[in-house]
Amino acid sequence: MRGFWRKHGLVMLGGMCQGFGMGLFLFPNSIPSGGAGGIAVLLNYWFHINMGPALWIVNFSFMLFGVKYLGKRFTLWTLIGITMTSLSIDFFESHFSIPNRSLFYDLIIGSMFLGLGIGILMRNNVSNGGIGVIAIMISNGRNILPGKPLFLINSLIFLVTAAVISWEIIFLALISQWISTTVVDVICRVDFSPSYSFGWRKKP
């Protein structure tokens, strides 16, 4: 039971870190945090849906594809993570603003907190939702590493987002991805406790 509450707290923390980085720094500059973030930016642009609910809708929709494949427990933890992320985005967007903001600092700080949140979730064998779930399914089905399908899907979404809003987005999104994934690697390399699992496994 103690392990359950510890994991629950860490999943909530991971979602909050993601929401802080995206809601306060990345999304105000229309910088997508990934493929799901890019679709959320488009929903916000086209239909004026707030970024928090938009990201939840995207992540939940993609997650439904993986329920049967990845298992109910994995899906439930992922649902908790993406819900906390979306609530945090909505909270930080609604209650905080940065005067005289700098795109450079927003990009760096937002991407670092995004990577921190994703890293915490992955340390607990929880997906940050969205495109990651689809990439895992493709990688297992085709027996390839998940990085390639994840990169291709995200790149396609970045292209569409950039074509609709601004071509500068591709450059900013790629920098954000590099920073955040570097932070994820650091978090996943540090041996905090042997009880954590790093692997993605298909349910038996």
Side-chain angles (χ1 to χ4, degrees):
M1 196 65 181
R2 183 179 178 182
F4 169 83
W5 287 112
R6 182 181 182 184
K7 180 172 181 175
H8 186 272
L10 288 171
V11 170
M12 298 286 279
L13 176 63
M16 287 178 63
C17 287
Q18 281 195 105
F20 178 74
M22 290 187 282
L24 197 57
F25 298 101
L26 297 180
F27 285 163
N29 293 289
S30 295
I31 302 173
S33 56
I39 298 175
V41 169
L42 289 173
L43 290 177
N44 175 263
Y45 182 81
W46 283 328
F47 305 109
H48 307 291
I49 303 174
N50 289 342
M51 290 300 302
L55 186 65
W56 191 91
I57 291 169
V58 175
N59 277 327
F60 183 76
S61 298
F62 280 112
M63 193 180 65
L64 289 178
F65 288 105
V67 172
K68 186 176 181 180
Y69 185 85
L70 298 170
K72 294 180 180 178
R73 181 175 296 181
F74 177 88
T75 303
L76 179 60
W77 281 114
T78 300
L79 180 60
I80 293 172
I82 66 173
T83 299
M84 191 65 211
T85 298
S86 297
L87 289 174
S88 299
I89 291 170
D90 202 48
F91 174 78
F92 287 115
E93 276 191 330
S94 302
H95 295 86
F96 294 90
S97 62
I98 300 176
N100 303 316
R101 63 167 64 246
S102 164
L103 177 60
F104 175 78
Y105 290 118
D106 283 357
L107 178 62
I108 300 298
I109 297 172
S111 300
M112 290 182 68
F113 273 98
L114 172 64
L116 176 62
I118 295 174
I120 292 172
L121 292 175
M122 286 189 169
R123 287 293 303 224
N124 289 274
N125 199 28
V126 176
S127 171
N128 62 319
I131 307 301
V133 173
I134 305 301
I136 292 169
M137 294 172 62
I138 294 174
S139 68
N140 281 281
R142 294 178 174 257
N143 196 28
I144 59 176
L145 293 173
K148 186 174 181 179
L150 183 63
F151 178 79
L152 291 174
I153 297 170
N154 282 346
S155 296
L156 178 61
I157 295 172
F158 290 159
L159 280 170
V160 175
T161 306
V164 172
I165 300 176
S166 170
W167 287 105
E168 182 187 42
I169 285 177
I170 290 182
F171 179 68
L172 297 174
L174 290 176
I175 294 176
S176 177
Q177 287 287 292
W178 179 80
I179 295 172
S180 61
T181 52
T182 300
V183 174
V184 169
D185 286 344
V186 171
I187 297 297
C188 289
R189 283 195 191 106
V190 178
D191 187 15
F192 295 109
S193 166
S195 63
Y196 289 104
S197 172
F198 298 87
W200 300 101
R201 296 197 311 165
K202 180 178 177 179
K203 72 170 186 177

